[in-house]
Amino acid sequence: MSSSEAVAVEIVESKVTFRFKDGVEYEAISSEGETLLDVARSNEVPVIHQCLTGSCASCICKVDEGDVGMDSDRLMSLLPSEQREGFRLTCTSYAESDCVVDLDYPSTFSEDHAASQSVITINELEWVNHNTVRIEAELADDAEMEHFEAGQYVQLKVPGTEEWRSYSMSSTERELPEVTFYIRVLEEGVMSNYLRDRAAVGDELEIDGPYGVFYLREEKVPQIMIAGGTGLAPMMSMIDTLRLKNFRRKPVILAFGCSFEKDLFAQDELELRDTWMRNLDIRTCVSRPEGEWDGYNCRAQLSITQDDITDPETVAYLCGPPAMNEAAREHLESLGVKGENIHVELFETA
Amino acid sequence: MTKFKNARVANDKNTKKQYQPYMEAEWGFINHWYPAAFSDELPEGEVKGIQIAGIPIVLRRAKGTVHALLDQCLHRGVRFSAKPMCLNDETITCWYHGFTFNLDDGELSTIVAAPDDKLIGTTGIQKFAVEEVNGMIFVFVCEEDWDEEIPPLKNDLPIRFPENNEKFPHPLWPDTPSILDEGVVIRGMHRTGNANWRLACENGFDAGHLLIHRDNAIVQAKEWAVPLGIKPLDDQAIAIIEDEDGPQGFLNRYFTDSYEPILENPILDIKAYGQNPKYFRTSMFMPGVLMVENWPEEHVVQYEWYIPITDDTYEYWEVLVKKCNTEQEKKEFEYRFENLYKPMCLEGFNDCDLMARDAMQNFYADGTGWDDEQLADMDASVIVWRKCASNFNRGIAQPPRGVNGSKKGQSKDLAAAALGDWPGMDAYATGRKYDKS
Ligand SMILES: Cc1cc2nc3c(=O)[nH]c(=O)nc-3n(C[C@H](O)[C@H](O)[C@H](O)COP(=O)(O)OP(=O)(O)OC[C@H]3O[C@@H](n4cnc5c(N)ncnc54)[C@H](O)[C@@H]3O)c2cc1C
Ligand code: FES
Ligand code: FES
Ligand SMILES: [Fe+2]
């Protein structure tokens, strides 16, 4: 059924079962008009969430049994293909019958990764290409953030405004209290304007996090990472984490794509990791090269071929603009990667 | 193409980034072969506890074969080696509650007072591969879930000769002997130093540190013309060795046109003394083994290891290897070892190195020294080594849990522990006096 029909169906009460990765289950009753997240929150079910508006995708779940409709009037950071596969954002969906939903993280995750608020000071601010800034900052001494998963993000408050924006760490937990970000500077935007016009070393920014369920999962299987633009940031954190864990037995493929050569960045950092990790295969893809280009001449996902899928349990991470994420998911599924092993992070809500 | 062509030193933040894995290897590199003991330290039936890269390991010789297991009981974590108990040739038994493990696979095979326990046969402790060659016992120290083929020991030892004579010729000492050569005589010693293992490694091939050996008795007695320092001149000074299936590291082309021995400093009016030229060559290989060719006497080679025990102690190994063709030659070499080289070189001369490494530890212990140091031209090989180690290691040892040294402030106990000399050992020895079993 389509989601618009779904909203129209009136159900008075249904039983919702939340099933976490560690096997822990919570049951709760959903009354009319309550989102799944409302149900979870009023019953202390540890479902991860953040924005409550369907844009951060952290509250994602997968419907295993029953019908769950989703509010189609709102912008949503869920891919159409994900919707078709039964993924829902709990903050914008409603139980239409008794149902079972799977959360792809252990029930202890929110407890182990509690967000906290603090301040960072910018130590380095470097333009790594014509529209991308690399920021290295240090957390204040009293910051509570001692842990985060590779791939998670934080929110930063844009100085001089009341606006918060999300950014993925490219650094690892091990480097705390230092954190590093790669941020694309748009022609117009609250954070973008700040970075272009006012940002300076020594600036302090409020920080809130960590957040998100886009993080490094099963490590003992081949990994495919597909990144568009600054979507490379969380991948860098994951690659360094794999490296530190001496993960070297299974292949890791990083497909990093940009439209033009001038959009590439962090090439030196990637090259170093290439020499340190024998199992790492970096494919730099430029879809519209202007001059001579001896890397891949295609969109990032298309550098992945059937030969790369050597294990049915291959895990994939996608982070880029919606069109890339969508196309990459379809491509990987057509090559035989299981839908539930594909993890997606959206940097913008379209 | 090697990445180390340019040996010039710019040790800024960007350079440091290039050897980040080395900086992360506070506890050493894992999945490598390390020497664990000399054969004569482990007679038949004996048990010995050591620790490498934060991993406690117990060695036991049974029916001639050396076995290596994790030296940490599955039950409550005590070290088997603290009070060895072996009830037969196939097992090692924990002295505390009698958990008994197979030597050949580490499986929990029985419990002394609970032979019906359900745990039996379902669990065990990690077992390590062992090789014993020419009087040295090597252990492959690996992660618990290592499931690949174990690389050959030769890949974790310096390059061999004559197969490398052409690539790295030296007319004065062709055919440098190797630990692995048939019929070589190996004599050496090991002891614990109180510094991070990397500081020790870097001292081993430090081209600028010969100053500390200037006044050494052996140098004076033999009137060796040891330079004040040796300065790299061009990008041929250091050769990177990076064969896929072989030793990986680098070699300093000392006493060629690529290095200039510094014999005097007129500003300070100081000169190298000694008339007798002393030609030698240093090279360094993963996981941290030094080769000093033609040292301390002609046609002898000195090998050194700086094996991480914890992040602030290391086991310093010094070994001399000589090919002796006759029994007489062997006898004479052993005599010189005992009466000259051991006291005056491995001790005397190298004691100065031991002191220098310990002296660096405070600066580096909290991690800031690695950022604050100001390396100079003389340190080109230090940077090359850091990059080699970053690229060629098979894994970075994780800070361990539940072992001596994982909690800070234990390092004194630790040095003792590494030698099997425990705090509380006195009480044990006293107990033994009354228990004549
Ligand atoms: C979970 C998460 C993680 C993120 N991590 C990163 C990261 O590591 N690096 C990074 O550069 N960005 C990241 N983003 C995007 C980031 O949060 C901001 O959306 C982006 O920096 C724009 O902010 P702004 O204040 O400059 O523009 P805004 O003032 O928010 O927007 C200005 C206009 O640009 C549009 N817009 C917003 N984002 C984009 C975009 N990415 N591309 C094109 N148009 C856009 C908006 O729709 C709006 O019309 C992440 C977003 C999310 C949700
Ligand atoms: S909380 Fe549901 S999308 Fe953000
Ligand atoms: S601690 Fe070893 S048997 Fe109990
Ligand atoms: Fe020395």
Side-chain angles (χ1 to χ4, degrees), chain B residues 123-144:
Chain B
T123 180
I125 50 170
Q126 190 182 356
K127 139 132 202 117
F128 302 91
V130 176
E131 279 208 37
E132 188 167 16
V133 51
N134 289 330
M136 291 183 72
I137 298 166
F138 291 87
V139 172
F140 186 70
V141 181
C142 61
E143 291 163 284
E144 204 174 354

PDB file of all heavy atoms in Angstrom, chain B residues 123-144:
ATOM      1  N   THR B 123      36.886 -24.773  25.932  1.00  0.00           N
ATOM      2  CA  THR B 123      37.585 -23.497  25.925  1.00  0.00           C
ATOM      3  C   THR B 123      39.081 -23.736  26.101  1.00  0.00           C
ATOM      4  O   THR B 123      39.528 -24.875  26.270  1.00  0.00           O
ATOM      5  CB  THR B 123      37.002 -22.581  27.032  1.00  0.00           C
ATOM      6  OG1 THR B 123      37.702 -21.334  27.013  1.00  0.00           O
ATOM      7  CG2 THR B 123      37.142 -23.200  28.409  1.00  0.00           C
ATOM      8  N   GLY B 124      39.846 -22.683  26.050  1.00  0.00           N
ATOM      9  CA  GLY B 124      41.288 -22.852  26.198  1.00  0.00           C
ATOM     10  C   GLY B 124      41.980 -21.507  26.170  1.00  0.00           C
ATOM     11  O   GLY B 124      41.337 -20.462  26.230  1.00  0.00           O
ATOM     12  N   ILE B 125      43.289 -21.551  26.074  1.00  0.00           N
ATOM     13  CA  ILE B 125      44.060 -20.318  26.028  1.00  0.00           C
ATOM     14  C   ILE B 125      44.875 -20.285  24.738  1.00  0.00           C
ATOM     15  O   ILE B 125      45.118 -21.311  24.119  1.00  0.00           O
ATOM     16  CB  ILE B 125      45.001 -20.196  27.250  1.00  0.00           C
ATOM     17  CG1 ILE B 125      45.797 -21.480  27.422  1.00  0.00           C
ATOM     18  CG2 ILE B 125      44.232 -19.843  28.504  1.00  0.00           C
ATOM     19  CD1 ILE B 125      46.902 -21.355  28.428  1.00  0.00           C
ATOM     20  N   GLN B 126      45.291 -19.073  24.396  1.00  0.00           N
ATOM     21  CA  GLN B 126      45.998 -18.891  23.131  1.00  0.00           C
ATOM     22  C   GLN B 126      47.335 -19.624  23.128  1.00  0.00           C
ATOM     23  O   GLN B 126      48.047 -19.670  24.124  1.00  0.00           O
ATOM     24  CB  GLN B 126      46.229 -17.400  22.884  1.00  0.00           C
ATOM     25  CG  GLN B 126      46.729 -17.100  21.485  1.00  0.00           C
ATOM     26  CD  GLN B 126      46.993 -15.622  21.262  1.00  0.00           C
ATOM     27  OE1 GLN B 126      46.724 -14.799  22.142  1.00  0.00           O
ATOM     28  NE2 GLN B 126      47.519 -15.285  20.108  1.00  0.00           N
ATOM     29  N   LYS B 127      47.657 -20.174  21.965  1.00  0.00           N
ATOM     30  CA  LYS B 127      48.925 -20.875  21.802  1.00  0.00           C
ATOM     31  C   LYS B 127      49.720 -20.167  20.710  1.00  0.00           C
ATOM     32  O   LYS B 127      49.146 -19.631  19.772  1.00  0.00           O
ATOM     33  CB  LYS B 127      48.585 -22.323  21.447  1.00  0.00           C
ATOM     34  CG  LYS B 127      49.419 -22.970  20.406  1.00  0.00           C
ATOM     35  CD  LYS B 127      49.862 -24.330  20.899  1.00  0.00           C
ATOM     36  CE  LYS B 127      51.095 -24.778  20.160  1.00  0.00           C
ATOM     37  NZ  LYS B 127      52.274 -24.962  20.903  1.00  0.00           N
ATOM     38  N   PHE B 128      51.021 -20.134  20.866  1.00  0.00           N
ATOM     39  CA  PHE B 128      51.865 -19.400  19.920  1.00  0.00           C
ATOM     40  C   PHE B 128      52.830 -20.349  19.213  1.00  0.00           C
ATOM     41  O   PHE B 128      53.307 -21.313  19.814  1.00  0.00           O
ATOM     42  CB  PHE B 128      52.679 -18.323  20.651  1.00  0.00           C
ATOM     43  CG  PHE B 128      51.838 -17.329  21.408  1.00  0.00           C
ATOM     44  CD1 PHE B 128      51.502 -17.549  22.738  1.00  0.00           C
ATOM     45  CD2 PHE B 128      51.356 -16.195  20.773  1.00  0.00           C
ATOM     46  CE1 PHE B 128      50.717 -16.638  23.437  1.00  0.00           C
ATOM     47  CE2 PHE B 128      50.568 -15.279  21.462  1.00  0.00           C
ATOM     48  CZ  PHE B 128      50.249 -15.503  22.799  1.00  0.00           C
ATOM     49  N   ALA B 129      53.136 -20.016  17.968  1.00  0.00           N
ATOM     50  CA  ALA B 129      54.097 -20.822  17.216  1.00  0.00           C
ATOM     51  C   ALA B 129      55.510 -20.556  17.739  1.00  0.00           C
ATOM     52  O   ALA B 129      55.826 -19.424  18.125  1.00  0.00           O
ATOM     53  CB  ALA B 129      54.017 -20.484  15.738  1.00  0.00           C
ATOM     54  N   VAL B 130      56.337 -21.595  17.750  1.00  0.00           N
ATOM     55  CA  VAL B 130      57.698 -21.498  18.285  1.00  0.00           C
ATOM     56  C   VAL B 130      58.680 -22.053  17.261  1.00  0.00           C
ATOM     57  O   VAL B 130      58.387 -23.038  16.582  1.00  0.00           O
ATOM     58  CB  VAL B 130      57.828 -22.329  19.581  1.00  0.00           C
ATOM     59  CG1 VAL B 130      59.262 -22.305  20.099  1.00  0.00           C
ATOM     60  CG2 VAL B 130      56.884 -21.816  20.654  1.00  0.00           C
ATOM     61  N   GLU B 131      59.842 -21.395  17.141  1.00  0.00           N
ATOM     62  CA  GLU B 131      60.942 -21.996  16.384  1.00  0.00           C
ATOM     63  C   GLU B 131      62.209 -21.886  17.186  1.00  0.00           C
ATOM     64  O   GLU B 131      62.480 -20.836  17.770  1.00  0.00           O
ATOM     65  CB  GLU B 131      61.121 -21.288  15.030  1.00  0.00           C
ATOM     66  CG  GLU B 131      60.135 -21.775  14.001  1.00  0.00           C
ATOM     67  CD  GLU B 131      60.669 -21.660  12.584  1.00  0.00           C
ATOM     68  OE1 GLU B 131      61.900 -21.892  12.391  1.00  0.00           O
ATOM     69  OE2 GLU B 131      59.868 -21.337  11.700  1.00  0.00           O
ATOM     70  N   GLU B 132      62.965 -22.964  17.217  1.00  0.00           N
ATOM     71  CA  GLU B 132      64.220 -22.953  17.951  1.00  0.00           C
ATOM     72  C   GLU B 132      65.337 -23.178  16.948  1.00  0.00           C
ATOM     73  O   GLU B 132      65.319 -24.147  16.197  1.00  0.00           O
ATOM     74  CB  GLU B 132      64.226 -24.060  19.004  1.00  0.00           C
ATOM     75  CG  GLU B 132      65.414 -23.979  19.925  1.00  0.00           C
ATOM     76  CD  GLU B 132      65.253 -24.869  21.151  1.00  0.00           C
ATOM     77  OE1 GLU B 132      64.379 -25.757  21.149  1.00  0.00           O
ATOM     78  OE2 GLU B 132      66.021 -24.675  22.117  1.00  0.00           O
ATOM     79  N   VAL B 133      66.298 -22.237  16.916  1.00  0.00           N
ATOM     80  CA  VAL B 133      67.341 -22.358  15.917  1.00  0.00           C
ATOM     81  C   VAL B 133      68.676 -21.874  16.482  1.00  0.00           C
ATOM     82  O   VAL B 133      68.745 -20.806  17.100  1.00  0.00           O
ATOM     83  CB  VAL B 133      66.940 -21.601  14.616  1.00  0.00           C
ATOM     84  CG1 VAL B 133      66.504 -20.189  14.904  1.00  0.00           C
ATOM     85  CG2 VAL B 133      68.073 -21.592  13.598  1.00  0.00           C
ATOM     86  N   ASN B 134      69.682 -22.695  16.338  1.00  0.00           N
ATOM     87  CA  ASN B 134      71.048 -22.352  16.774  1.00  0.00           C
ATOM     88  C   ASN B 134      71.124 -21.770  18.177  1.00  0.00           C
ATOM     89  O   ASN B 134      71.849 -20.805  18.428  1.00  0.00           O
ATOM     90  CB  ASN B 134      71.683 -21.370  15.787  1.00  0.00           C
ATOM     91  CG  ASN B 134      72.006 -22.039  14.458  1.00  0.00           C
ATOM     92  OD1 ASN B 134      72.287 -23.243  14.413  1.00  0.00           O
ATOM     93  ND2 ASN B 134      71.965 -21.281  13.378  1.00  0.00           N
ATOM     94  N   GLY B 135      70.314 -22.302  19.081  1.00  0.00           N
ATOM     95  CA  GLY B 135      70.406 -21.853  20.472  1.00  0.00           C
ATOM     96  C   GLY B 135      69.517 -20.686  20.826  1.00  0.00           C
ATOM     97  O   GLY B 135      69.632 -20.121  21.913  1.00  0.00           O
ATOM     98  N   MET B 136      68.639 -20.298  19.914  1.00  0.00           N
ATOM     99  CA  MET B 136      67.684 -19.231  20.239  1.00  0.00           C
ATOM    100  C   MET B 136      66.259 -19.726  20.029  1.00  0.00           C
ATOM    101  O   MET B 136      65.971 -20.438  19.069  1.00  0.00           O
ATOM    102  CB  MET B 136      67.928 -17.998  19.361  1.00  0.00           C
ATOM    103  CG  MET B 136      69.222 -17.282  19.684  1.00  0.00           C
ATOM    104  SD  MET B 136      69.430 -15.786  18.678  1.00  0.00           S
ATOM    105  CE  MET B 136      68.197 -14.698  19.398  1.00  0.00           C
ATOM    106  N   ILE B 137      65.367 -19.285  20.941  1.00  0.00           N
ATOM    107  CA  ILE B 137      63.955 -19.659  20.830  1.00  0.00           C
ATOM    108  C   ILE B 137      63.168 -18.443  20.377  1.00  0.00           C
ATOM    109  O   ILE B 137      63.213 -17.389  21.012  1.00  0.00           O
ATOM    110  CB  ILE B 137      63.414 -20.143  22.197  1.00  0.00           C
ATOM    111  CG1 ILE B 137      64.185 -21.386  22.653  1.00  0.00           C
ATOM    112  CG2 ILE B 137      61.923 -20.421  22.125  1.00  0.00           C
ATOM    113  CD1 ILE B 137      63.964 -21.727  24.119  1.00  0.00           C
ATOM    114  N   PHE B 138      62.465 -18.574  19.267  1.00  0.00           N
ATOM    115  CA  PHE B 138      61.643 -17.477  18.736  1.00  0.00           C
ATOM    116  C   PHE B 138      60.165 -17.827  18.867  1.00  0.00           C
ATOM    117  O   PHE B 138      59.780 -18.986  18.687  1.00  0.00           O
ATOM    118  CB  PHE B 138      61.948 -17.245  17.253  1.00  0.00           C
ATOM    119  CG  PHE B 138      63.320 -16.670  17.003  1.00  0.00           C
ATOM    120  CD1 PHE B 138      64.432 -17.508  16.870  1.00  0.00           C
ATOM    121  CD2 PHE B 138      63.500 -15.296  16.922  1.00  0.00           C
ATOM    122  CE1 PHE B 138      65.693 -16.976  16.647  1.00  0.00           C
ATOM    123  CE2 PHE B 138      64.766 -14.757  16.697  1.00  0.00           C
ATOM    124  CZ  PHE B 138      65.863 -15.596  16.557  1.00  0.00           C
ATOM    125  N   VAL B 139      59.356 -16.807  19.167  1.00  0.00           N
ATOM    126  CA  VAL B 139      57.912 -17.010  19.276  1.00  0.00           C
ATOM    127  C   VAL B 139      57.214 -16.071  18.295  1.00  0.00           C
ATOM    128  O   VAL B 139      57.615 -14.908  18.155  1.00  0.00           O
ATOM    129  CB  VAL B 139      57.420 -16.731  20.713  1.00  0.00           C
ATOM    130  CG1 VAL B 139      55.896 -16.743  20.784  1.00  0.00           C
ATOM    131  CG2 VAL B 139      57.990 -17.752  21.675  1.00  0.00           C
ATOM    132  N   PHE B 140      56.199 -16.578  17.620  1.00  0.00           N
ATOM    133  CA  PHE B 140      55.396 -15.725  16.748  1.00  0.00           C
ATOM    134  C   PHE B 140      54.282 -15.117  17.600  1.00  0.00           C
ATOM    135  O   PHE B 140      53.313 -15.790  17.967  1.00  0.00           O
ATOM    136  CB  PHE B 140      54.807 -16.536  15.585  1.00  0.00           C
ATOM    137  CG  PHE B 140      54.082 -15.682  14.585  1.00  0.00           C
ATOM    138  CD1 PHE B 140      54.774 -14.809  13.756  1.00  0.00           C
ATOM    139  CD2 PHE B 140      52.701 -15.733  14.479  1.00  0.00           C
ATOM    140  CE1 PHE B 140      54.107 -14.001  12.832  1.00  0.00           C
ATOM    141  CE2 PHE B 140      52.023 -14.941  13.553  1.00  0.00           C
ATOM    142  CZ  PHE B 140      52.738 -14.067  12.733  1.00  0.00           C
ATOM    143  N   VAL B 141      54.463 -13.855  17.943  1.00  0.00           N
ATOM    144  CA  VAL B 141      53.540 -13.189  18.865  1.00  0.00           C
ATOM    145  C   VAL B 141      52.403 -12.578  18.055  1.00  0.00           C
ATOM    146  O   VAL B 141      52.603 -11.616  17.315  1.00  0.00           O
ATOM    147  CB  VAL B 141      54.273 -12.092  19.662  1.00  0.00           C
ATOM    148  CG1 VAL B 141      53.316 -11.420  20.637  1.00  0.00           C
ATOM    149  CG2 VAL B 141      55.464 -12.692  20.391  1.00  0.00           C
ATOM    150  N   CYS B 142      51.222 -13.193  18.168  1.00  0.00           N
ATOM    151  CA  CYS B 142      50.142 -12.751  17.290  1.00  0.00           C
ATOM    152  C   CYS B 142      48.858 -12.490  18.049  1.00  0.00           C
ATOM    153  O   CYS B 142      48.719 -12.832  19.219  1.00  0.00           O
ATOM    154  CB  CYS B 142      49.901 -13.790  16.196  1.00  0.00           C
ATOM    155  SG  CYS B 142      49.422 -15.387  16.825  1.00  0.00           S
ATOM    156  N   GLU B 143      47.930 -11.872  17.329  1.00  0.00           N
ATOM    157  CA  GLU B 143      46.607 -11.629  17.878  1.00  0.00           C
ATOM    158  C   GLU B 143      45.895 -12.960  18.051  1.00  0.00           C
ATOM    159  O   GLU B 143      46.164 -13.924  17.353  1.00  0.00           O
ATOM    160  CB  GLU B 143      45.794 -10.774  16.904  1.00  0.00           C
ATOM    161  CG  GLU B 143      46.291  -9.364  16.800  1.00  0.00           C
ATOM    162  CD  GLU B 143      45.739  -8.694  15.545  1.00  0.00           C
ATOM    163  OE1 GLU B 143      46.251  -8.998  14.461  1.00  0.00           O
ATOM    164  OE2 GLU B 143      44.809  -7.910  15.662  1.00  0.00           O
ATOM    165  N   GLU B 144      44.929 -12.944  18.963  1.00  0.00           N
ATOM    166  CA  GLU B 144      44.234 -14.176  19.288  1.00  0.00           C
ATOM    167  C   GLU B 144      43.526 -14.759  18.068  1.00  0.00           C
ATOM    168  O   GLU B 144      43.444 -15.971  17.911  1.00  0.00           O
ATOM    169  CB  GLU B 144      43.231 -13.902  20.408  1.00  0.00           C
ATOM    170  CG  GLU B 144      42.902 -15.148  21.170  1.00  0.00           C
ATOM    171  CD  GLU B 144      42.023 -14.877  22.365  1.00  0.00           C
ATOM    172  OE1 GLU B 144      41.750 -13.685  22.663  1.00  0.00           O
ATOM    173  OE2 GLU B 144      41.611 -15.862  22.984  1.00  0.00           O
TER     174      GLU B 144
END
